[in-house]
Amino acid sequence: YATLNNIYAEPGELTGGIEFLEQRDLGATASLSFLVEDPKKRDIFPTKENTTIIEGGQKVKLLDITRQVSPPSVVLVLDSSGSMKNEMKATLDAAKKFIAGLPDKTFVKAVDFDAEVKVVKGDTKEAVANNLSSVTAGGSTKLFDATLKGLELLEGKDRPALVVFADGADSSLDGQGEG
């Protein structure tokens, strides 16, 4: 960790860290899973050439380092206003297909909005996709409120992404009424 800071940190500034997630003794070899974190979001990629592991005072021979990118954090914001009535099934099917294509262990939330903003239960791909069946069309369109709720749910998450499924403007502001 100290060497990481010496290489990547500004003078006098400690940044990031290394978190050891899993260690497995495989007999003649071992497997070590770790996470390199940098609050400045720089791309720090350990390789066999720039990484040293010392065990019992002896340098360990590294056989391989495989990079695994952390999954994204995704919030879907789904318009279920009255104007979506004829498009609701297709929208929900598209949302489910989108969710199914996300990497495993992705943090997923969904926000259903019409005249009210509601967070769909669940935070895994399976749970959110299953709970989308509770979404039905009707009411006005609180697009801005729902978008803000989606952004709120992403606060502090790694690799945040907000995906909006909507057919128009926020009708709660201009008096357009339903849809």
Side-chain angles (χ1 to χ4, degrees):
Y1 174 67
T3 302
L4 182 68
N5 277 301
N6 289 338
I7 295 170
Y8 294 103
E10 298 297 324
E13 180 182 302
L14 295 179
T15 61
I18 299 174
E19 178 183 351
F20 292 93
L21 305 173
E22 180 182 14
Q23 306 87 32
R24 288 184 295 182
D25 184 345
L26 304 173
T29 63
S31 173
L32 177 64
S33 178
F34 61 93
L35 176 66
V36 178
E37 296 185 69
D38 179 24
K40 291 187 174 185
K41 306 294 183 198
R42 294 170 289 192
D43 190 21
I44 299 172
F45 181 48
T47 64
K48 288 181 0 181
E49 293 75 30
N50 69 8
T51 304
T52 304
I53 296 178
I54 301 190
E55 181 180 22
Q58 300 293 315
K59 187 176 177 180
V60 174
K61 179 182 177 187
L62 296 175
L63 301 178
D64 188 29
I65 294 181
T66 305
R67 183 177 195 170
Q68 295 180 346
V69 177
S70 63
S73 301
V74 178
V75 172
L76 282 75
V77 178
L78 303 166
D79 182 352
S80 62
S81 64
S83 65
M84 292 290 290
K85 184 173 182 160
N86 294 330
E87 303 301 325
M88 202 72 252
K89 182 182 179 332
T91 300
L92 293 175
D93 288 346
K96 288 175 184 177
K97 188 173 183 175
F98 178 83
I99 291 169
L102 293 170
D104 291 339
K105 298 183 181 180
T106 295
F107 171 85
V108 181
K109 285 295 225 182
V111 176
D112 164 26
F113 72 95
D114 47 35
E116 293 181 49
V117 175
K118 303 164 285 271
V119 177
V120 176
K121 290 182 182 178
D123 60 7
T124 64
K125 290 170 43 171
E126 296 77 19
V128 172
N130 289 337
N131 290 323
L132 287 179
S133 61
S134 67
V135 176
T136 58
S140 60
T141 310
K142 286 198 170 183
L143 175 60
F144 296 148
D145 293 344
T147 302
L148 289 173
K149 183 63 176 178
L151 291 171
E152 177 185 306
L153 293 170
L154 287 170
E155 282 183 23
K157 300 292 182 193
D158 288 335
R159 301 185 59 216
L162 183 75
V163 180
V164 179
F165 291 80
D167 69 346
D170 190 321
S171 64
S172 69
L173 296 178
D174 61 11
Q176 290 180 18
E178 293 205 1

